[in-house]
Amino acid sequence: MEENPNKTKSFVIAGKSFRSRLLVGTGKFGSYLQMAQALEASGSQIVTVSLRRVEIGENKRQEDILSYIDTKKYLLVINTSGAMNAEEAVRIAKIAAHGGLPKWIKLEIHPDPRYLLPDPIETLKATQMLVKEDFIVLPYINADPVLAKRLEEEGAAAVMPLGSPIGSMRGLETKAQIEIIIEQATVPVIVDAGIGKPSHAALAMEMGADGVLINTAIAIANDPCQMARAFKMAVEAGRMAYESGTDEVSKFAVATSPLESFF
Amino acid sequence: MEENPNKTKSFVIAGKSFRSRLLVGTGKFGSYLQMAQALEASGSQIVTVSLRRVEIGENKRQEDILSYIDTKKYLLVINTSGAMNAEEAVRIAKIAAHGGLPKWIKLEIHPDPRYLLPDPIETLKATQMLVKEDFIVLPYINADPVLAKRLEEEGAAAVMPLGSPIGSMRGLETKAQIEIIIEQATVPVIVDAGIGKPSHAALAMEMGADGVLINTAIAIANDPCQMARAFKMAVEAGRMAYESGTDEVSKFAVATSPLESFF
Amino acid sequence: MEENPNKTKSFVIAGKSFRSRLLVGTGKFGSYLQMAQALEASGSQIVTVSLRRVEIGENKRQEDILSYIDTKKYLLVINTSGAMNAEEAVRIAKIAAHGGLPKWIKLEIHPDPRYLLPDPIETLKATQMLVKEDFIVLPYINADPVLAKRLEEEGAAAVMPLGSPIGSMRGLETKAQIEIIIEQATVPVIVDAGIGKPSHAALAMEMGADGVLINTAIAIANDPCQMARAFKMAVEAGRMAYESGTDEVSKFAVATSPLESFF
Amino acid sequence: MEENPNKTKSFVIAGKSFRSRLLVGTGKFGSYLQMAQALEASGSQIVTVSLRRVEIGENKRQEDILSYIDTKKYLLVINTSGAMNAEEAVRIAKIAAHGGLPKWIKLEIHPDPRYLLPDPIETLKATQMLVKEDFIVLPYINADPVLAKRLEEEGAAAVMPLGSPIGSMRGLETKAQIEIIIEQATVPVIVDAGIGKPSHAALAMEMGADGVLINTAIAIANDPCQMARAFKMAVEAGRMAYESGTDEVSKFAVATSPLESFF
């Protein structure tokens, strides 16, 4: 495998540096308090929230999700989940910006009700529109290397290919395509959707992904805080392995103890 | 899947408790000093050494491997690598015990020069012989559930099925058989051989393995200390995930954000 | 798994029925004669040819590829390989039609020189343009279920998701996504690219694919005719297995011989 | 990969040649008639029967399984399924021989009631005993390359490693170990147990297995005759692919159509 220049790069999206390569989503938790504790345990610095969960302007209730997310500690990224096409996604982004939220948008356009898979055409279109309006756009995509390249060319700040359907926890079913995306990308590659176990997250990082986004696997664990810590460690472990090298795989055994006659 | 009573059990072999579930082998390091530093970084409490590397009695040179392993910190387990049959393995164990080394033996009998795969017949025989002589026996085996059960019945203190050939770093190629071994074992199951990446170690722990043994992947890394730390974290992450639950895998997507119409 | 209505459907594309579900490409053969013999051995009824190999009009040389393909026996489908965008692909299709070739087009638009992966945006655009001009369009795509659905809605006569990069012979690396495409499609799904072995082809058919397209694996075999026959049988075997049922997979063993005490 | 001398060898067990490399088991069919028809459709020349299904001597009922198996057409191989140890297996073999049945024995010793996995120790012992008594012994084993080699040395006429648990139809979960067995064996390697689909059978043959044994997948199909035909074709396809070569797998795409500029 060729040397990947990302190998020693720190994790920078749109000029902003992050120590943690673990992004966390905020859906499905039992309570906001539990969510807040799991975020803390995860060590994450980037948190995604669906705009539909956010109270904006005058409708603000007391028990708002945002009051549980310390925006001094976490970069808040609004996701457009629920959007069926580019127009809806752009509209969500604008409502968020108008409401004073950051202009970082995780773009999710999934017309497919069963697997929530993203629409490549609408995602490209929305990326073009949002980049023009100075949003920082992180599109959620199928593991399609050509689409990833085109989004990068249109100004996406990162690409977020799926490992398997959202919430399915089936891991990196699209591994072969993600490897090509990583090889070709010049923006960060963040594996999103489908990561169900720390071993999946470690694998993504060992392959050279720049980050991973986890939601369901943490939110529905019996102990979300412990699971958040497990993912934190797995992401660090995978990244350290990527940086400290050794990809060679041998068909044959290679003795760890010398085999010369002993007796 | 049925509840595994191991789920909350601490890691106990032959009545002795260990905090760390990562065992480390000592072959292939660039130097004894590097080895010692990697052991330290790994957090391991159990270290395996081939008797052929150990200076016993009067031949003791100054630069002995044992002078780099603090036996107050690490349990020293002698491996019989190089043994072609039960008799040779038993002879190695006895030389070790006679030389004042602990009676913990990692039994390796591999007549196969290419893949170093273990011999099931000789391994069972040697286990019977060594148990009778009060050794604590940890046999390295193919991922054979029936053999694992028989070794357990003969008094093996743990079973150590291989993931793939020694030193090959190909991961858990025998995953399906190891799952059955874990399901059926009443002694600890330690996955040995072939683990090449932290993600492999995390996967083994998520499956419910009690521990893993790593050697090559740490010893030949560009930075063995960092790789040792990576494995330490991956093993802990995998175990935490195992303990904090959630095995359900869904074919369909399960939205992390509510899908009711937003606009 | 739900009952798939395709299960008993015969293989029909754009109203035309085919007995054979094996499509064969014509690149990379050692000679046109060898190609012709392999086509014969494959039993295929649909053959794809790159327009760049075809002599049209006055430049016609004696040794034309088309003189080796009996168009009474095979439906000739022109592919647009080499096209970098929709306009180029449409132009190739029109040259072919103008030259008297059938209006069946295998749409290939791959700007990526290394993996030859298809461009989703340009492919959708070209499909729209060609359908308007009454071409029968079979687009080659990444294994993207949402794109497949959109192409179908735009009038594609089939969808042709890739298993792995063209010519790589790595098999169904995109299996999980292809399963979703098959589940959702109302036009035939033909797995294209990457199928390297008869077992890959059989697997695609067992999953419910309507057909497979093979080129490299036959063309570069030591014995292309024998390999063509092997694929013919594997495709039939996979389809028969799909039709004769039984998907259940058990975790446990199920004895084939009764286990009541024998003695 | 090194050249395997088996590549052009015909299928010979204990000096007896067979055209078909598909062995079929006789359990679980809906009726003896259905079984007989499926055997016919499979083209098999070797059929295994559990002795417990056979009526011997005076207890012979009218409706005997053997009256449905034409021993002029099929070599009858008795299996010892139900045996818990070597003694029971040898006893079954002797009862069969005494009853006038062929001395070909498929040795199955599985004390494990849940997965029916074979016992390596008892299987070796029974092989030694039966070879001494001039039986032709085909032992069913875990995918253990060292055990396979030892059985071969003791005179086993073939080795029959499992792909996955009997009746589970999960395919070649032990693929990596079976590859080593095939590489090292000098007797035929017949993959037994777990093959659930024609694609699994084709894969085993492409890997260089000498034969496969199928039972459940045919017997419980909605249409056992059609499934038997499917397996027949898949086995032939896999073998033909093995013989006609090309193992090379490329990471990159290799165009099947020339890429020089077209316009």
Side-chain angles (χ1 to χ4, degrees):
Chain A
M1 209 178 288
E2 290 149 53
E3 192 54 35
N4 189 327
N6 287 322
K7 205 149 185 171
T8 51
K9 260 191 358 199
S10 58
F11 185 37
V12 178
I13 310 177
K16 206 168 153 52
S17 281
F18 302 93
R19 283 183 319 280
S20 167
R21 291 169 180 274
L22 172 58
L23 291 75
V24 179
T26 54
K28 289 192 193 172
F29 283 93
S31 71
Y32 288 155
L33 182 59
Q34 189 190 58
M35 175 199 82
Q37 291 166 337
L39 291 181
E40 174 73 29
S42 74
S44 178
Q45 298 176 289
I46 304 177
V47 170
T48 63
V49 179
S50 169
L51 186 63
R52 292 172 303 180
R53 286 226 185 69
V54 178
E55 310 290 330
I56 292 187
E58 322 212 334
N59 335 13
K60 204 171 253 169
R61 294 173 305 170
Q62 220 158 354
E63 184 67 353
D64 183 24
I65 188 171
L66 293 191
S67 57
Y68 285 84
I69 301 173
D70 178 356
T71 52
K72 294 211 181 59
K73 242 172 112 176
Y74 305 107
L75 172 68
L76 194 68
V77 173
I78 295 298
N79 79 48
T80 65
S81 89
M84 304 286 279
N85 54 46
E87 287 66 33
E88 289 183 12
V90 169
R91 193 168 151 203
I92 293 173
K94 287 184 175 173
I95 293 172
H98 199 258
L101 296 170
K103 293 188 79 173
W104 290 63
I105 297 295
K106 183 186 164 205
L107 188 56
E108 288 187 33
I109 305 179
H110 33 51
D112 158 27
R114 191 167 208 175
Y115 296 101
L116 302 174
L117 297 172
D119 184 316
I121 314 296
E122 298 298 315
T123 300
L124 183 73
K125 199 157 82 177
T127 298
Q128 292 166 327
M129 295 164 76
L130 289 171
V131 166
K132 257 185 222 141
E133 311 242 6
D134 297 323
F135 284 90
I136 293 167
V137 185
L138 297 81
Y140 163 61
I141 57 171
N142 194 2
D144 180 329
V146 175
L147 180 63
K149 214 58 201 161
R150 291 196 67 149
L151 288 164
E152 183 185 309
E153 287 160 11
E154 296 294 343
V159 288
M160 303 187 68
L162 63 89
S164 47
I166 294 181
S168 73
M169 310 224 303
R170 285 159 59 182
L172 300 192
E173 294 182 337
T174 59
K175 180 172 184 288
Q177 300 288 96
I178 289 179
E179 284 174 338
I180 299 175
I181 293 175
I182 290 171
E183 183 184 307
Q184 300 184 333
T186 60
V187 293
V189 177
I190 299 163
V191 178
D192 184 20
I195 294 184
K197 296 282 186 185
S199 59
H200 304 157
L203 173 60
M205 300 309 295
E206 288 160 5
M207 286 162 56
D210 296 278
V212 296
L213 189 151
I214 316 289
N215 187 344
T216 302
I218 294 174
I220 72 169
N222 294 332
D223 182 342
C225 278
Q226 195 180 6
M227 192 60 95
R229 268 189 296 273
F231 272 104
K232 176 184 193 293
M233 288 193 296
V235 168
E236 290 175 17
R239 182 67 192 181
M240 285 168 77
Y242 176 71
E243 288 175 359
S244 46
T246 64
D247 282 68
E248 319 76 33
V249 165
S250 166
K251 191 186 167 199
F252 301 116
V254 183
T256 43
S257 306
L259 280 175
E260 310 81 76
S261 141
F262 176 72
F263 298 106
Chain B
M1 210 177 289
E2 289 151 52
E3 192 53 35
N4 189 328
N6 287 323
K7 205 148 185 171
T8 52
K9 261 193 356 200
S10 59
F11 185 36
V12 178
I13 309 177
K16 206 167 152 53
S17 279
F18 302 92
R19 283 184 317 280
S20 167
R21 291 168 179 275
L22 172 58
L23 292 74
V24 180
T26 54
K28 290 192 193 171
F29 283 93
S31 70
Y32 288 155
L33 182 59
Q34 189 190 58
M35 175 199 81
Q37 291 167 336
L39 292 181
E40 174 73 29
S42 74
S44 179
Q45 298 176 289
I46 304 178
V47 171
T48 63
V49 180
S50 169
L51 186 63
R52 291 172 302 180
R53 287 228 185 67
V54 177
E55 310 291 330
I56 292 187
E58 321 212 335
N59 337 14
K60 204 170 250 170
R61 296 172 302 171
Q62 220 159 352
E63 184 67 354
D64 183 24
I65 189 172
L66 292 191
S67 58
Y68 285 83
I69 301 172
D70 178 354
T71 51
K72 294 209 181 60
K73 242 172 113 176
Y74 304 108
L75 171 69
L76 194 69
V77 173
I78 295 298
N79 79 48
T80 64
S81 89
M84 304 286 279
N85 55 44
E87 286 66 32
E88 289 183 11
V90 168
R91 194 169 150 201
I92 294 174
K94 287 183 177 174
I95 292 171
H98 198 258
L101 296 169
K103 292 188 77 173
W104 289 64
I105 297 295
K106 184 186 165 205
L107 188 57
E108 287 187 32
I109 305 178
H110 33 50
D112 159 27
R114 191 167 208 175
Y115 296 101
L116 300 175
L117 297 171
D119 184 316
I121 313 295
E122 298 298 315
T123 300
L124 183 72
K125 199 157 82 178
T127 298
Q128 292 166 326
M129 294 164 77
L130 289 170
V131 166
K132 257 185 221 140
E133 311 242 7
D134 296 322
F135 283 90
I136 292 168
V137 186
L138 296 80
Y140 164 60
I141 57 170
N142 194 1
D144 180 331
V146 175
L147 179 64
K149 214 59 201 160
R150 290 196 68 150
L151 287 164
E152 182 184 310
E153 288 160 11
E154 297 294 343
V159 289
M160 304 188 66
L162 63 89
S164 47
I166 293 181
S168 73
M169 312 225 301
R170 285 158 59 183
L172 301 193
E173 294 182 336
T174 59
K175 180 172 185 287
Q177 300 288 97
I178 289 178
E179 284 174 338
I180 299 175
I181 293 176
I182 290 171
E183 184 184 306
Q184 299 184 334
T186 59
V187 294
V189 177
I190 299 163
V191 177
D192 184 20
I195 293 183
K197 295 282 185 184
S199 60
H200 303 158
L203 173 59
M205 300 309 295
E206 288 160 7
M207 287 161 57
D210 296 278
V212 297
L213 189 151
I214 317 289
N215 186 344
T216 301
I218 293 175
I220 72 169
N222 294 332
D223 183 341
C225 278
Q226 195 180 6
M227 193 60 95
R229 268 189 297 274
F231 273 102
K232 176 185 194 294
M233 288 193 295
V235 167
E236 289 175 18
R239 182 66 192 182
M240 284 167 78
Y242 176 71
E243 288 175 358
S244 46
T246 65
D247 282 69
E248 319 76 32
V249 165
S250 166
K251 191 186 166 197
F252 303 115
V254 183
T256 43
S257 307
L259 279 176
E260 311 83 74
S261 137
F262 175 73
F263 300 106
Chain C
M1 208 178 287
E2 288 150 52
E3 192 53 34
N4 189 328
N6 287 323
K7 205 148 186 172
T8 51
K9 263 194 352 201
S10 59
F11 185 37
V12 178
I13 309 177
K16 205 166 154 54
S17 279
F18 302 93
R19 282 185 318 280
S20 167
R21 291 169 180 274
L22 171 59
L23 292 74
V24 179
T26 54
K28 290 191 192 171
F29 282 93
S31 71
Y32 288 155
L33 182 59
Q34 189 191 57
M35 175 199 80
Q37 291 166 338
L39 291 181
E40 175 73 28
S42 74
S44 179
Q45 299 176 288
I46 304 178
V47 170
T48 63
V49 179
S50 169
L51 185 63
R52 291 172 303 179
R53 287 228 185 66
V54 178
E55 310 290 331
I56 292 188
E58 323 216 330
N59 335 13
K60 205 171 252 171
R61 295 174 302 172
Q62 219 157 355
E63 183 68 352
D64 184 24
I65 188 170
L66 292 192
S67 58
Y68 286 84
I69 301 172
D70 179 355
T71 51
K72 293 210 183 60
K73 240 172 116 177
Y74 305 107
L75 171 69
L76 194 68
V77 174
I78 295 297
N79 78 48
T80 65
S81 89
M84 303 287 279
N85 54 45
E87 286 67 31
E88 289 183 10
V90 169
R91 195 169 151 202
I92 293 173
K94 287 183 175 173
I95 293 171
H98 198 258
L101 296 170
K103 292 188 79 174
W104 289 64
I105 297 294
K106 182 184 166 208
L107 188 57
E108 286 186 34
I109 305 179
H110 33 52
D112 159 28
R114 190 166 208 175
Y115 296 102
L116 301 175
L117 297 171
D119 185 315
I121 313 295
E122 298 298 315
T123 301
L124 183 73
K125 200 158 80 178
T127 297
Q128 292 166 327
M129 295 164 75
L130 290 170
V131 166
K132 259 186 221 138
E133 311 243 6
D134 296 323
F135 284 90
I136 292 168
V137 186
L138 297 80
Y140 163 61
I141 58 171
N142 193 4
D144 181 329
V146 175
L147 180 64
K149 213 62 201 156
R150 289 195 70 150
L151 288 164
E152 180 185 310
E153 287 160 11
E154 297 295 343
V159 289
M160 304 188 66
L162 63 89
S164 47
I166 293 181
S168 72
M169 312 223 303
R170 285 159 59 182
L172 300 192
E173 294 183 336
T174 59
K175 178 172 186 286
Q177 301 287 97
I178 290 178
E179 284 174 337
I180 299 175
I181 293 175
I182 291 171
E183 184 184 305
Q184 299 184 336
T186 60
V187 294
V189 177
I190 299 163
V191 178
D192 184 20
I195 294 183
K197 297 280 185 185
S199 59
H200 304 156
L203 173 59
M205 300 309 294
E206 288 160 6
M207 286 162 56
D210 296 278
V212 297
L213 189 151
I214 316 289
N215 187 343
T216 301
I218 293 174
I220 72 169
N222 294 332
D223 183 341
C225 277
Q226 194 179 6
M227 193 59 95
R229 268 189 296 274
F231 273 102
K232 176 185 194 293
M233 289 193 295
V235 167
E236 290 174 19
R239 182 67 191 181
M240 284 167 79
Y242 176 72
E243 288 175 359
S244 47
T246 65
D247 282 69
E248 318 77 34
V249 165
S250 167
K251 192 186 166 201
F252 302 114
V254 184
T256 43
S257 307
L259 278 177
E260 311 81 73
S261 141
F262 175 72
F263 299 107
Chain D
M1 209 179 289
E2 289 150 53
E3 192 53 34
N4 189 328
N6 287 322
K7 206 150 186 171
T8 51
K9 263 194 351 202
S10 59
F11 186 36
V12 178
I13 310 176
K16 206 168 154 53
S17 280
F18 302 92
R19 283 185 317 281
S20 167
R21 291 169 180 274
L22 172 58
L23 292 75
V24 179
T26 53
K28 289 191 191 172
F29 283 92
S31 70
Y32 288 155
L33 181 60
Q34 189 191 58
M35 175 199 82
Q37 291 166 338
L39 290 181
E40 175 72 29
S42 75
S44 179
Q45 299 176 288
I46 305 178
V47 171
T48 63
V49 180
S50 169
L51 186 63
R52 293 172 302 179
R53 287 227 185 68
V54 178
E55 310 289 330
I56 292 187
E58 322 215 332
N59 338 11
K60 206 170 250 170
R61 294 173 304 171
Q62 218 157 354
E63 183 67 354
D64 183 24
I65 188 171
L66 292 192
S67 57
Y68 285 84
I69 301 172
D70 178 354
T71 51
K72 294 211 181 60
K73 241 172 115 174
Y74 304 109
L75 171 68
L76 194 69
V77 173
I78 294 298
N79 79 48
T80 65
S81 89
M84 305 286 279
N85 55 46
E87 286 67 31
E88 288 183 11
V90 169
R91 195 169 150 201
I92 293 173
K94 288 184 174 173
I95 292 171
H98 198 259
L101 296 170
K103 291 188 80 173
W104 290 63
I105 297 295
K106 182 184 166 207
L107 188 56
E108 288 187 32
I109 305 179
H110 33 51
D112 158 28
R114 190 167 207 175
Y115 296 102
L116 301 175
L117 297 171
D119 184 317
I121 313 296
E122 299 297 315
T123 300
L124 183 72
K125 199 157 80 178
T127 297
Q128 292 166 327
M129 294 163 76
L130 289 170
V131 166
K132 259 186 221 139
E133 311 243 5
D134 297 322
F135 284 90
I136 293 169
V137 185
L138 296 82
Y140 163 61
I141 57 171
N142 194 2
D144 181 330
V146 175
L147 179 64
K149 214 60 201 157
R150 290 195 68 150
L151 287 164
E152 182 185 310
E153 287 161 11
E154 296 295 343
V159 288
M160 305 187 67
L162 62 90
S164 47
I166 294 180
S168 73
M169 312 224 301
R170 286 158 59 181
L172 299 192
E173 294 183 337
T174 59
K175 180 173 183 287
Q177 301 287 97
I178 289 178
E179 284 174 338
I180 299 175
I181 293 175
I182 290 171
E183 183 184 305
Q184 300 184 334
T186 59
V187 294
V189 177
I190 299 163
V191 178
D192 183 20
I195 293 183
K197 296 281 186 186
S199 60
H200 303 157
L203 173 59
M205 300 309 295
E206 289 160 5
M207 286 162 55
D210 296 278
V212 296
L213 189 151
I214 317 290
N215 187 342
T216 302
I218 294 175
I220 73 170
N222 294 332
D223 183 341
C225 277
Q226 194 179 6
M227 192 60 95
R229 268 189 297 273
F231 273 103
K232 176 184 193 294
M233 288 193 296
V235 167
E236 288 174 19
R239 182 67 193 182
M240 285 167 77
Y242 175 72
E243 287 175 359
S244 47
T246 65
D247 283 69
E248 318 75 33
V249 165
S250 166
K251 191 187 167 200
F252 302 116
V254 183
T256 43
S257 306
L259 279 176
E260 311 79 74
S261 142
F262 175 73
F263 299 107

